[in-house]
Amino acid sequence: FNPRTTIEFSLPKRAFVNLTIYNMLGQEVKTLISGELNEGIHKINWNAEVPSGIYFYRLNAGNFVETKKMLLMK
């Protein structure tokens, strides 16, 4: 992505959601969401004001945890 991306996910029921971006060293770069969201499809935009490189996002929603890799090329 360059320099904006959208992270999309769906919730089957209302849940506490934490969506955080990390760099390759495992350091937290930005928390995009930390709070309760209703069920349904959610689209979260991230305007990356960080250097080019590999980043990870971790989505925690209730008992669900997912980590995905992103490549930022400016």
Side-chain angles (χ1 to χ4, degrees), residues 15-16 20 30 42-43 45-46 55 60 65-66 69 73:
F16 183 86
T20 307
K30 180 142 180 114
H42 299 275
K43 295 180 182 181
N45 294 316
W46 180 39
Y55 293 87
N60 293 308
V65 178
E66 178 179 66
K69 181 170 66 170
M73 297 172 43

Side-chain angles (χ1 to χ4, degrees), residues 42-70:
H42 299 275
K43 295 180 182 181
I44 309 302
N45 294 316
W46 180 39
N47 188 14
E49 297 173 358
V50 294
S52 295
I54 297 174
Y55 293 87
F56 298 90
Y57 75 78
R58 173 165 272 194
L59 174 67
N60 293 308
N63 295 326
F64 177 80
V65 178
E66 178 179 66
T67 303
K68 294 244 179 154
K69 181 170 66 170
M70 303 181 289

